[in-house]
């Protein structure tokens, strides 16, 4: 869009492509070792920054990891993940800074969570009780699913809870903008418990909180895991019409 064109007057020339970008977004869990040009990443981030935020606070801070910085973070967090698997007591040393999930699960959310987990594991041939395989698959998160680009998102702790709403809109913009470039993503709350490793590694300040991570790159179309499609509730189940 030209900077001289008023936003209110900007036409959407190809509405089906907008819908396709949204509907084709999914959490890719296998990527190709193909570089993503910096100018492409900058363009995606610029477009994402048009996300709305309360009083235009724009609370997002983004750290892009590639090459050695990406690989070293993978090494450190995978080592911690393995250590916790060997000694679960160590998990107490790794805490999320905010509650992403509820302390107590209730229906229908727990049902959807279980369906998601077992459907994915079933596709991968991981049976209930196969803990080593589950651990290895979970650790794929901390390898960015082999994506060449890892993103970390932080928020100043001084900001209120509403900034997380703003952040969600920014992240969705980013993921949809990536689709426009032929790329795929996987937003990851799994990194949050390892903030004590992530934040110093990326050079985040003491007043920053880790919001989540994200893998970004070219999805491996031959990987079976990328055939996984999560269901969605029909509109009539989550919408109330008031007249």
């Amino acid at each position: 869009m030209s900077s001289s064109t008023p936003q209110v007057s900007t036409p959407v020339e190809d509405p089906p492509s907008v819908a396709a970008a949204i509907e084709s977004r999914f959490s890719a869990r296998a990527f190709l070792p193909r570089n993503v040009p910096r100018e492409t990443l900058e363009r995606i981030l610029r477009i994402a920054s048009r996300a709305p935020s309360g009083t235009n606070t724009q609370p997002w801070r983004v750290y892009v990891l590639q090459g050695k910085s990406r690989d070293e973070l993978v090494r450190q967090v995978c080592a911690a993940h393995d250590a916790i698997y060997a000694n679960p007591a160590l998990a107490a040393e790794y805490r999320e800074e905010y509650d992403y999930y509820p302390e107590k699960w209730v229906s229908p959310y727990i049902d959807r969570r279980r369906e998601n987990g077992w459907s994915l594991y079933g596709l991968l041939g991981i049976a209930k009780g196969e803990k080593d395989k589950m651990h290895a698959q979970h650790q794929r998160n901390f390898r960015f699913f082999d994506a060449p680009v890892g993103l970390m998102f932080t928020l100043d702790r001084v900001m209120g809870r509403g900034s997380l709403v703003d952040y969600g809109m920014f992240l969705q913009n980013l993921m949809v903008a990536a689709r426009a470039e032929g790329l795929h993503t996987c937003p990851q709350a799994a990194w949050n418990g390892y903030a004590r490793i992530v934040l110093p590694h990326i050079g985040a300040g003491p007043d920053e909180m880790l919001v989540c991570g994200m893998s970004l790159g070219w999805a491996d179309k031959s990987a079976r895991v990328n055939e996984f499609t999560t269901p969605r509730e029909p509109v009539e189940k989550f919408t109330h019409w008031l007249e």
Side-chain angles (χ1 to χ4, degrees):
M1 182 182 73
S2 170
S3 59
S4 61
T5 304
Q7 290 167 299
V8 70
S9 301
T10 302
V12 177
E13 300 288 354
D14 185 9
S17 290
V18 177
I22 295 170
E23 293 182 328
S24 65
R25 186 223 61 82
F26 78 107
S27 295
R29 293 179 173 87
F31 291 86
L32 299 172
R34 177 182 168 190
N35 183 48
V36 180
R38 178 166 177 162
E39 55 267 28
T40 301
L41 295 171
E42 290 177 344
R43 184 164 55 250
I44 289 170
L45 290 166
R46 178 182 56 78
I47 293 170
S49 73
R50 293 306 312 176
S53 58
T55 64
N56 200 32
T57 51
Q58 304 174 64
W60 36 82
R61 291 193 183 186
V62 184
Y63 296 84
V64 183
L65 295 100
Q66 298 172 284
K68 292 181 180 179
S69 64
R70 173 206 173 280
D71 296 346
E72 178 58 19
L73 182 63
V74 167
R75 185 194 68 77
Q76 291 185 39
V77 176
C78 284
H81 186 239
D82 284 338
I84 292 171
Y85 186 55
N87 180 11
L90 293 176
E93 299 179 15
Y94 298 92
R95 298 283 188 178
E96 296 181 339
E97 196 155 345
Y98 71 97
D99 294 329
Y100 187 89
Y101 293 112
E103 289 186 13
K104 182 179 180 180
W105 286 93
V106 298
S107 291
Y109 313 110
I110 184 62
D111 308 309
R112 295 170 186 163
R113 177 183 172 88
R114 286 170 176 163
E115 178 188 22
N116 184 73
W118 290 119
S119 295
L120 176 61
Y121 282 174
L123 179 67
L124 296 173
I126 302 174
K128 190 173 183 178
E130 292 187 305
K131 294 183 179 180
D132 288 351
K133 290 183 179 180
M134 291 179 185
H135 174 74
Q137 178 58 34
H138 189 237
Q139 191 168 105
R140 295 279 296 149
N141 278 280
F142 309 125
R143 299 183 185 279
F144 291 108
F145 299 108
D146 298 327
V149 180
L151 301 167
M152 290 294 161
F153 305 94
T154 71
L155 174 71
D156 281 340
R157 292 191 181 95
V158 71
M159 299 303 287
R161 189 175 299 180
S163 289
L164 291 174
V165 177
D166 301 337
Y167 230 118
M169 292 185 281
F170 171 77
L171 294 170
Q172 177 70 1
N173 265 12
L174 193 158
M175 291 184 284
V176 173
R179 289 300 302 121
E181 300 284 348
L183 297 159
H184 278 287
T185 54
C186 184
Q188 299 166 267
W191 290 96
N192 293 6
Y194 296 91
R196 59 177 289 188
I197 297 174
V198 174
L199 294 174
H201 179 79
I202 62 177
D207 296 327
E208 292 176 66
M209 175 183 79
L210 183 63
V211 175
C212 69
M214 184 181 291
S215 302
L216 184 150
W218 307 96
D220 183 352
K221 296 179 181 179
S222 68
R224 190 170 187 189
V225 69
N226 283 339
E227 298 174 7
F228 182 58
T229 302
T230 54
R232 290 295 186 269
E233 294 293 312
V235 172
E236 58 268 22
K237 291 195 69 172
F238 62 78
T239 306
H240 299 272
W241 301 94
L242 306 175
E243 296 182 3

